[in-house]
Amino acid sequence: YIRKLAGDADVPIDLTPEVLSYIRFFRTDGHSFFTRWLSRASAYLPMIQAEFQKAGLPKDLAYKAMIESGFNPRARSHANAVGMWQFMKHTGNQYHLQYNSWTDERMDPEKATPAAARHLTYLYKHFKDWRLVIAAYNCGQGRMDRAIRKSGTRNFWDIDVLPRETRNHLPKFMASVIISKDPAYFGFRDVALQPPLSYDTVTLTEPVGLRLAAQCVGTTYAWIQQLNPELRRAYTPPSSSNKPYLLRVPKGTAEKFKTNYAQVPDSKKIQMEDYPL
């Protein structure tokens, strides 16, 4: 049955000892955090797979985000790779993901996913093998090129000079794809699936505190933060009618925000002079 699940994937899945070992690990010692990954996956997979399909990429490549970050938009690695797709600053800049005092678009899945699709497309044009692409996304194109030259092979499983993290990355990915095809079969029967994210946007021409925004729409500060993961502060960036900012609010609450925010006295609003230079 596992062989059948592997065959149902639209990316190569090799049932090597390493892959089978990670299936066992996720079912046992890793059960709790894999459950969290599955729970978050349901919120983001529809968006990611639609974006990848539009880019002509395999839809199951979306599970790359599971191994990169556990589908956590605010994930940060020890090397300061950030977001669901774990972009370093220079790679994020290369794909036009803005980073400044106010926002970090690497943490916005809807902005980072198209960038990830372009990066994966670029790597595939270079390597022509999804196994090498998945590993190179982790360690970098240059390091993978050097490893191929040094090992004298393009067969990932025979390349023995890669960092341990990269050697483990591909089997983790393959194991996660197999389990995600039928979680209940592997013992994940009580996963609280998060609904796909949905929201409205409101156009801001002045900075707004997120706690105040939450009050205006009758939700929590934490939920406003979750809908707007790119924001690095507890308020939106400086904005104007010439350069507005689009704030995400819960679905169906845009008009409620406009009505309630219009009644907020200026004394409770953020003033531009409050921003540090």
Side-chain angles (χ1 to χ4, degrees):
Y1 184 63
I2 291 176
R3 200 170 293 280
K4 177 187 179 301
L5 295 177
D8 289 342
D10 60 2
V11 289
I13 301 293
D14 304 317
L15 296 182
T16 66
E18 296 89 345
V19 173
L20 296 175
S21 176
Y22 271 109
I23 291 176
R24 287 192 294 272
F25 172 74
F26 289 144
R27 295 180 67 185
T28 54
D29 293 349
H31 189 277
S32 60
F33 61 75
F34 200 88
T35 299
R36 290 195 298 273
W37 294 358
L38 287 171
S39 177
R40 284 195 292 256
S42 56
Y44 298 105
L45 272 176
M47 178 273 294
I48 297 172
Q49 291 186 329
E51 193 66 43
F52 280 13
Q53 190 170 28
K54 186 167 66 176
L57 295 172
K59 291 173 67 175
D60 285 332
L61 206 57
Y63 290 102
K64 186 87 169 62
M66 180 176 271
I67 303 307
E68 290 291 338
S69 65
F71 290 105
N72 179 4
R74 296 182 180 275
R76 183 181 295 272
S77 76
H78 63 276
N80 283 322
V82 168
M84 184 177 293
W85 292 103
Q86 290 291 279
F87 279 110
M88 300 292 287
K89 277 185 188 177
H90 66 275
T91 312
N93 288 336
Q94 181 180 345
Y95 292 103
H96 310 295
L97 293 175
Q98 291 187 3
Y99 174 86
N100 54 44
S101 298
W102 316 102
T103 61
D104 186 347
E105 291 184 346
R106 295 175 298 170
M107 293 194 292
D108 185 335
E110 294 197 7
K111 294 178 180 177
T113 295
R118 292 195 298 274
H119 188 45
L120 289 164
T121 299
Y122 166 78
L123 290 173
Y124 186 73
K125 288 179 179 177
H126 181 76
F127 289 109
K128 302 289 194 300
D129 183 329
W130 285 118
R131 299 169 184 83
L132 298 177
V133 168
I134 290 163
Y137 190 105
N138 176 260
C139 70
Q141 175 194 329
R143 192 159 195 172
M144 180 58 73
D145 283 335
R146 291 191 295 274
I148 289 170
R149 286 196 299 270
K150 190 169 182 179
S151 296
T153 179
R154 288 175 51 82
N155 182 337
F156 172 84
W157 304 107
D158 292 334
I159 299 174
D160 56 5
V161 293
L162 288 168
R164 177 180 296 178
E165 180 183 342
T166 303
R167 294 200 308 272
N168 292 338
H169 195 82
L170 181 64
K172 281 182 183 178
F173 167 78
M174 291 182 171
S176 73
V177 171
I178 290 171
I179 294 174
S180 298
K181 292 292 181 185
D182 189 350
Y185 174 79
F186 294 97
F188 298 92
R189 296 184 178 86
D190 299 313
V191 180
L193 299 179
Q194 298 180 13
L197 285 184
S198 61
Y199 54 84
D200 289 341
T201 58
V202 290
T203 302
L204 304 180
T205 57
E206 61 187 21
V208 174
L210 300 188
R211 294 186 188 280
L212 178 58
Q215 291 171 10
C216 286
V217 297
T219 190
T220 64
Y221 170 65
W223 186 237
I224 291 292
Q225 279 189 312
Q226 187 168 339
L227 289 175
N228 299 274
E230 74 174 20
L231 293 176
R232 301 184 65 209
R233 305 188 181 202
Y235 38 83
T236 62
S239 51
S240 65
S241 56
N242 293 328
K243 191 178 180 182
Y245 183 79
L246 297 180
L247 179 72
R248 297 170 184 168
V249 294
K251 191 74 174 175
T253 65
E255 290 304 318
K256 184 177 182 180
F257 174 87
K258 293 174 187 176
T259 299
N260 290 337
Y261 188 73
Q263 299 173 26
V264 175
D266 289 345
S267 60
K268 291 190 175 182
K269 294 181 179 180
I270 294 174
Q271 305 299 318
M272 287 302 293
E273 58 264 30
D274 289 343
Y275 286 84
L277 297 177

